Amino acid sequence: MSAIVMNQVVKTYPNGTSAVKGISLTIEPGSFTVILGPSGAGKSTLLRMMNGLETPTTGTVHVHNTLLTRKTLRTVRRTVGMVFQQFNLVGRLNVMTNVLTGRLAYRSWLGSMLHLFRAEDFEIAHEALARVDLSEKAWIRADQLSGGQQQRVGIARALAQKPSIILADEPVASLDPLTSAEVLDLLKSICKNDNIAVVANLHQVEYTRQYADRVIGINAGQVIFDGPPAALTDEVIEALYRRPEVIEEANHVAATTLAYA
């Protein structure tokens, strides 16, 4: 069973901006997929539609054969962990409490509002912190940690959900090269050891070539490349980072040529 299936997904905002233009793709369990492209290409919008943070204008998203709708949103999100560029931690709370928020989807509405956690939740949170090598930081305020440590807390929070999918939106954009490699090593090991599908937005070509099993290159809301990192040649990179207006012009020329062929 595929982890995610997107069929002809389009996202057009009220101001007329077309962020995603008819993308179809399938993500398999245990795969490390990198969505690569320039800023403004539609990477974040595409990723956020995979767990309902953005709603497609048209098209469908299935997560483990469940159609993502308003009614299924809570159930689907329970199994989809999210790792953010800016960590999205509550700095004044300790690390343990931040990780425990990954368990809220498993609690009742009242339990979620009051942050009423069970012994099982604490056990799962401790295990998640051990996975990211931060057990000794459990009771320290999150804002006292380094950027790399905060991102590992974010990964632990995602692990506490017991996810089958982890979505990572530019997870190393604000980190130095050494810390970036540590975070990506961690995500790759979770992907392979737990058979979790990891989908990460990146803009760094070198990390993409090193960590990805599959690369989906997008620009101007369209898929420009879909294949293994070994096929990510300099020519592909040049096309991928081409200005959007050049892509639109090329598409227009191609369509006109076909019309008169």
Side-chain angles (χ1 to χ4, degrees), residues 4-261:
I4 300 170
V5 177
M6 307 184 85
N7 184 37
Q8 288 298 309
V9 172
V10 172
K11 180 63 179 183
T12 304
Y13 290 102
N15 65 1
T17 300
S18 296
V20 174
K21 304 172 183 176
I23 290 180
S24 296
L25 57 86
T26 299
I27 304 295
E28 299 298 339
S31 64
F32 195 106
T33 301
V34 170
I35 301 175
L36 180 69
S39 298
K43 302 191 303 296
S44 291
T45 301
L46 184 64
L47 193 79
R48 289 164 65 87
M49 284 193 288
M50 293 179 183
N51 73 341
L53 288 174
E54 293 278 3
T55 303
T57 305
T58 61
T60 59
V61 179
H62 285 79
V63 178
H64 297 307
N65 285 351
T66 299
L67 178 64
L68 188 55
T69 65
R70 187 174 298 177
K71 290 183 177 180
T72 63
L73 190 58
R74 180 178 172 87
T75 301
V76 168
R77 280 188 181 169
R78 182 181 295 177
T79 61
V80 182
M82 191 84 183
V83 178
F84 300 91
Q85 177 179 343
Q86 298 300 331
F87 320 136
N88 279 25
L89 304 179
V90 182
R92 61 183 174 79
L93 297 180
N94 60 48
V95 167
M96 175 59 71
T97 303
N98 274 280
V99 175
L100 282 167
T101 60
R103 301 297 302 162
L104 291 177
Y106 292 89
R107 298 292 153 251
S108 66
W109 178 84
L110 180 61
S112 296
M113 290 294 293
L114 298 178
H115 284 206
L116 299 176
F117 300 109
R118 302 174 183 175
E120 174 193 8
D121 296 322
F122 280 92
E123 182 178 343
I124 290 170
H126 276 295
E127 290 174 355
L129 282 172
R131 289 286 300 274
V132 302
D133 197 25
L134 285 176
S135 295
E136 76 284 359
K137 304 290 187 181
W139 306 108
I140 293 176
R141 279 177 54 131
D143 57 11
Q144 295 180 1
L145 302 180
S146 68
Q149 289 172 328
Q150 289 188 53
Q151 191 58 289
R152 282 153 57 196
V153 174
I155 294 171
R157 177 182 57 199
L159 285 173
Q161 291 181 230
K162 296 293 184 179
S164 54
I165 301 166
I166 290 179
L167 307 178
D169 193 4
E170 298 283 4
V172 299
S174 59
L175 304 178
D176 63 72
L178 179 59
T179 307
S180 296
E182 291 173 349
V183 167
L184 291 171
D185 283 340
L186 180 58
L187 287 171
K188 187 67 177 275
S189 69
I190 290 168
C191 170
K192 298 308 176 184
N193 293 336
D194 296 41
N195 198 39
I196 289 175
V198 174
V199 185
N201 281 347
L202 295 178
H203 63 265
Q204 303 97 329
V205 175
E206 63 275 19
Y207 291 146
T208 300
R209 285 175 168 151
Q210 183 176 352
Y211 290 98
D213 298 318
R214 173 190 179 191
V215 182
I216 300 172
I218 71 171
N219 194 350
Q222 300 170 294
V223 174
I224 305 299
F225 172 84
D226 188 347
L232 201 61
T233 63
D234 291 342
E235 290 77 14
V236 171
I237 295 298
E238 192 277 331
L240 183 57
Y241 284 87
R242 195 171 292 155
R243 294 193 310 277
E245 58 268 25
V246 176
I247 294 173
E248 294 294 341
E249 181 181 349
N251 289 340
H252 174 72
V253 170
T256 304
T257 301
L258 287 173
Y260 287 94

